[in-house]
Amino acid sequence: KAGVTQTPRYLIKTRGQQVTLSCSPISGHRSVSWYQQTPGQGLQFLFEYFSETQRNKGNFPGRFSGRQFSNSRSEMNVSTLELGDSALYLCASSFLATGDGYTFGSGTRLTVV
Amino acid sequence: QKEVEQNSGPLSVPEGAIASLNCTYSDRGSQSFFWYRQYSGKSPELIMFIYSNGDKEDGRFTAQLNKASQYVSLLIRDSQPSDSATYLCAVMEGTYKYIFGTGTRLKVLA
């Protein structure tokens, strides 16, 4: 059974650029959540999608956005990149996201220079 | 702002000992609690979850929940060097969102 697949694994971008990250959940999982992980802040919730609908959103600026497609694949976009956006971005999928726990992808390491 | 707190460690235990990892949370209404393990350079992986007060055992791992005191703990029996990792506590906030602690780094000394 394939796990959660995130692409790309590594990205280097310049301040002011935008970036799109992709996540393919485990087959049959309809909930996809995104987290930002940094050494100082730990895992911070970005948003959660289920059946193409955003059901919850974290406290991030509007530069962070996401969407989910009908096949449950999800993308997140960060516009006007700042140095502080450098982080590991983790996608996690679950069957319902109502208490069944996550399976995380390997993450995308974003470096903004 | 709801919070989940963990001692950052490192917590060092000798091989074969019991490692005890603790987590406190601020939202008294929280119902679901999770422990994840994260090896250096890897993504978190789910170890176990607990919903009810008391203990839940899974192999060498035991999760303990005390809702009145708002803490959840993870015990690792017969600790092995391969258990050396960062352990993340997560609490479900409302619906569809988890709050993670910053993790406790465990070092098991051979």
Side-chain angles (χ1 to χ4, degrees):
Chain A
K1 187 175 183 181
V4 180
T5 303
Q6 289 189 248
T7 56
R9 289 295 307 276
Y10 302 93
L11 267 177
I12 300 176
K13 290 287 189 179
T14 304
R15 271 185 303 174
Q17 287 187 312
Q18 76 166 21
V19 66
T20 298
L21 313 181
S22 180
C23 172
S24 293
I26 289 173
S27 178
H29 284 191
R30 294 164 66 190
S31 169
V32 174
S33 299
W34 289 89
Y35 284 81
Q36 180 195 67
Q37 187 174 33
T38 58
Q41 298 293 316
L43 279 151
Q44 300 288 310
F45 175 78
L46 282 155
F47 23 67
E48 189 264 353
Y49 288 89
F50 184 89
S51 293
E52 302 179 69
T53 299
Q54 185 183 90
R55 299 193 297 187
N56 208 335
K57 187 177 187 306
N59 298 322
F60 278 81
R63 301 185 296 107
F64 291 81
S65 63
R67 59 178 176 168
Q68 187 181 34
F69 303 95
S70 58
N71 62 358
S72 294
R73 191 177 72 84
S74 177
E75 289 181 347
M76 69 163 280
N77 184 76
V78 188
S79 62
T80 320
L81 284 165
E82 300 177 359
L83 295 179
D85 297 333
S86 295
L88 179 66
Y89 290 87
L90 289 162
C91 167
S93 79
S94 65
F95 185 63
L96 295 174
T98 53
D100 54 336
Y102 290 141
T103 300
F104 282 90
S106 299
T108 294
R109 172 75 62 186
L110 171 65
T111 302
V112 182
V113 298
Chain B
Q1 173 76 1
K2 298 183 175 65
E3 294 182 343
V4 175
E5 297 197 357
Q6 297 180 256
N7 188 316
S8 61
L11 172 67
S12 295
V13 299
E15 184 176 356
I18 295 175
S20 177
L21 305 159
N22 299 311
C23 168
T24 59
Y25 59 95
S26 63
D27 183 6
R28 188 169 287 278
S30 297
Q31 298 293 321
S32 306
F33 307 86
F34 302 81
W35 283 99
Y36 289 83
R37 176 176 61 198
Q38 186 172 25
Y39 291 112
S40 180
K42 301 293 187 182
S43 57
E45 56 179 328
L46 180 65
I47 298 174
M48 59 192 306
F49 55 84
I50 185 166
Y51 304 146
S52 305
N53 274 330
D55 295 0
K56 180 181 178 183
E57 189 174 314
D58 184 359
R60 295 186 298 113
F61 299 97
T62 299
Q64 299 176 316
L65 175 61
N66 184 322
K67 290 185 179 180
S69 300
Q70 295 176 240
Y71 82 78
V72 56
S73 61
L74 180 70
L75 302 178
I76 306 175
R77 289 183 300 282
D78 188 25
S79 295
Q80 300 297 310
S82 58
D83 295 325
S84 297
T86 296
Y87 289 80
L88 303 168
C89 172
V91 177
M92 192 159 189
E93 178 191 298
T95 50
Y96 321 131
K97 176 181 177 181
Y98 295 79
I99 305 296
F100 282 81
T102 52
T104 298
R105 191 157 63 96
L106 173 67
K107 296 175 70 174
V108 181
L109 308 173

